[in-house]
Amino acid sequence: MVLLAEKSYNRKKDRFPIVPKKEIKFLDVSDKTASVKLIADEWIDYMHLVKLNGTWKIINVLWQYNDSSHHK
């Protein structure tokens, strides 16, 4: 996601604040799965993670803008 944002969405380096807001809430964590909520400057992400070979991987992201009027 970060690489995609740098190569396309944020090519000019002007899309994100210098000190971005980022608040992470662990909604549920077990030994191999987790649900996480990220509250950022303009959006909210809900992520599902899985632990594979000892490493956490994001397998799904559901997001929306904080201001839902941005969605058309």
Side-chain angles (χ1 to χ4, degrees):
M1 288 172 47
V2 171
L3 294 176
L4 176 63
E6 289 176 356
K7 289 182 181 178
S8 59
Y9 179 74
N10 196 30
R11 255 186 268 182
K12 296 178 185 177
K13 308 288 186 212
D14 62 349
R15 296 284 192 154
F16 302 112
I18 294 172
V19 180
K21 174 185 178 183
K22 50 189 177 233
E23 178 184 343
I24 299 172
K25 295 182 179 185
F26 294 91
L27 303 175
D28 187 57
V29 179
S30 65
D31 61 330
K32 294 187 185 265
T33 59
S35 291
V36 177
K37 179 179 182 180
L38 167 65
I39 302 169
D41 294 294
E42 294 188 25
W43 62 89
I44 300 166
D45 289 334
Y46 290 94
M47 296 176 270
H48 293 125
L49 292 84
V50 64
K51 193 172 194 178
L52 298 171
N53 300 320
T55 303
W56 287 100
K57 303 284 184 183
I58 299 170
I59 60 167
N60 185 55
V61 178
L62 176 66
W63 70 274
Q64 77 164 51
Y65 288 108
N66 284 324
D67 179 357
S68 62
S69 69
H70 289 292
H71 294 282
K72 306 229 180 215

